[in-house]
């Protein structure tokens, strides 16, 4: 039997320089836990997997909001593994993330990797709505197959709107059923891990970082708005994380 579950959280400033969580609702395999933040002004929430998911046919969602002036970090306790399972009406599993960032708010969305196990079929969609003065740090990492196995079918889409206008709309597909060439030299070049780091900051409106390579398998691209996108591929999850961590450090992407 497939699972339907939606976890919700909302962060608000408490008026004393910290952030509180008036809404923190777990559901099904998505358990939300408040954890200690190294930054006093931030609330931190960790997503803990309470059961194996997503399986074929599951419909999972996380909805997170950083209200005006709030500061929120969301991470996860472990990688999310997309597993094979009985499909519902031939449809893949879906995992939807909806993020809302208010005026003067900061949201750092930093989950662990998504692993596409052999035989799985997953569609992941991340949708972000940012106010004009909101700031966002978002990391997504996909690992294509567990050790020694080919990847499952994985499609991911990242859509970001800022002040009601489109900022980024990107879709990637890998594995069985994906357009030909996804593993070729123009896309992954045989690498098994791929990731994106998106930083939206009004400060980039005056002086965005220039487009450039970040080593042999990563690139930084300024977007048509106060944002930059780092895209990277790597042989494995460890190397991918190292590339993205270096980019975060260079961009000073962890505001206090």
């Amino acid at each position: 039997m497939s699972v339907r579950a939606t976890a919700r959280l909302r962060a608000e400033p408490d008026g004393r320089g910290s952030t509180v969580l008036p809404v923190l609702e777990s559901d099904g395999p998505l358990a939300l836990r408040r954890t200690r933040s190294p930054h006093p002004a931030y609330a931190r929430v960790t997503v803990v997997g309470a059961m194996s998911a997503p399986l074929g046919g599951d419909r999972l969602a996380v909805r997170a909001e950083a209200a005006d002036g709030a500061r929120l970090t969301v991470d996860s306790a472990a990688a999310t593994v997309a597993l094979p399972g009985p499909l519902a009406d031939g449809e893949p599993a879906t995992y939807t993330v909806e993020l809302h960032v208010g005026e003067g708010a900061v949201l750092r969305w930093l989950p662990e990797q998504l692993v596409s196990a052999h035989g799985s079929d997953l569609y992941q969609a991340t949708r972000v709505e940012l106010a004009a003065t909101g700031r966002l740090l978002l990391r997504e990492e996909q690992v294509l197959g567990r050790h020694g196995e080919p990847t499952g079918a994985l499609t991911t889409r990242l859509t970001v709107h800022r002040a009601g206008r489109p900022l980024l709309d990107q879709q990637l597909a890998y594995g069985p059923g994906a357009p030909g060439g996804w593993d070729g030299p123009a896309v992954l070049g045989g690498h098994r891990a791929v990731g994106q780091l998106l930083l939206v900051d009004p400060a980039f409106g005056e002086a965005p970082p220039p487009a450039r390579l970040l080593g042999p398998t990563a690139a930084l691209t300024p977007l048509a708005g106060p944002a930059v996108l780092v895209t990277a591929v790597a042989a494995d999850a460890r190397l991918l994380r190292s590339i993205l961590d270096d980019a975060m450090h260079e961009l000073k992407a962890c505001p206090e």
Side-chain angles (χ1 to χ4, degrees):
M1 180 179 295
S2 59
V3 174
R4 269 62 171 170
T6 300
R8 297 176 175 85
L9 64 126
R10 175 181 168 88
E12 298 178 352
D14 66 356
R16 301 188 299 274
S18 297
T19 297
V20 295
L21 298 167
V23 178
L24 191 63
E25 300 177 357
S26 303
D27 191 13
L30 301 170
L32 306 181
R33 300 288 184 264
R34 177 157 192 167
T35 48
R36 183 182 298 275
S37 172
H39 307 290
Y42 282 78
R44 179 185 174 193
V45 174
T46 299
V47 182
V48 179
M51 58 186 288
S52 295
L55 305 175
D58 288 349
R59 302 287 183 267
L60 307 181
V62 177
R63 296 174 181 164
E65 178 182 3
D68 293 356
R71 297 186 175 225
L72 173 65
T73 297
V74 182
D75 56 19
S76 59
T80 297
V81 183
L83 296 168
L87 299 182
D89 300 323
E91 294 296 320
T94 63
Y95 187 14
T96 303
V97 175
E98 297 180 4
L99 307 177
H100 296 265
V101 185
E103 297 287 358
V106 182
L107 174 59
R108 301 189 293 186
W109 182 262
L110 301 170
E112 293 300 309
Q113 298 90 353
L114 170 63
V115 181
S116 177
H118 179 58
S120 65
D121 191 357
L122 177 66
Y123 178 80
Q124 182 186 37
T126 301
R127 297 189 287 268
V128 185
E129 295 285 346
L130 281 136
T133 57
R135 289 185 289 171
L136 172 72
L137 172 63
L138 180 147
R139 182 185 66 211
E140 290 191 339
E141 299 166 297
Q142 298 88 34
V143 179
L144 305 179
R146 294 171 293 191
H147 180 71
E149 71 174 12
T151 184
L154 175 63
T155 300
T156 69
R157 184 171 182 179
L158 173 59
T159 307
V160 182
H161 286 77
R162 177 180 176 269
R165 302 181 64 181
L167 178 66
L168 176 66
D169 192 342
Q170 173 179 279
Q171 180 164 300
L172 304 169
Y174 313 103
W182 64 269
D183 196 29
V187 186
L188 295 184
H191 293 91
R192 293 173 54 88
V194 58
Q196 303 84 40
L197 184 73
L198 175 66
L199 178 60
V200 184
D201 191 326
F204 290 151
E206 296 294 329
R212 62 188 185 275
L213 295 177
L214 301 175
T217 61
L220 182 151
T221 305
L223 302 181
V228 294
L229 177 68
V230 175
T231 304
V233 296
D236 57 35
R238 180 185 62 81
L239 290 173
L240 178 65
R241 177 62 60 84
S242 177
I243 293 169
L244 296 181
D245 281 351
D246 287 347
M248 287 175 58
H249 179 73
E250 181 176 339
L251 292 168
K252 297 180 173 60
C254 292
E256 298 293 334

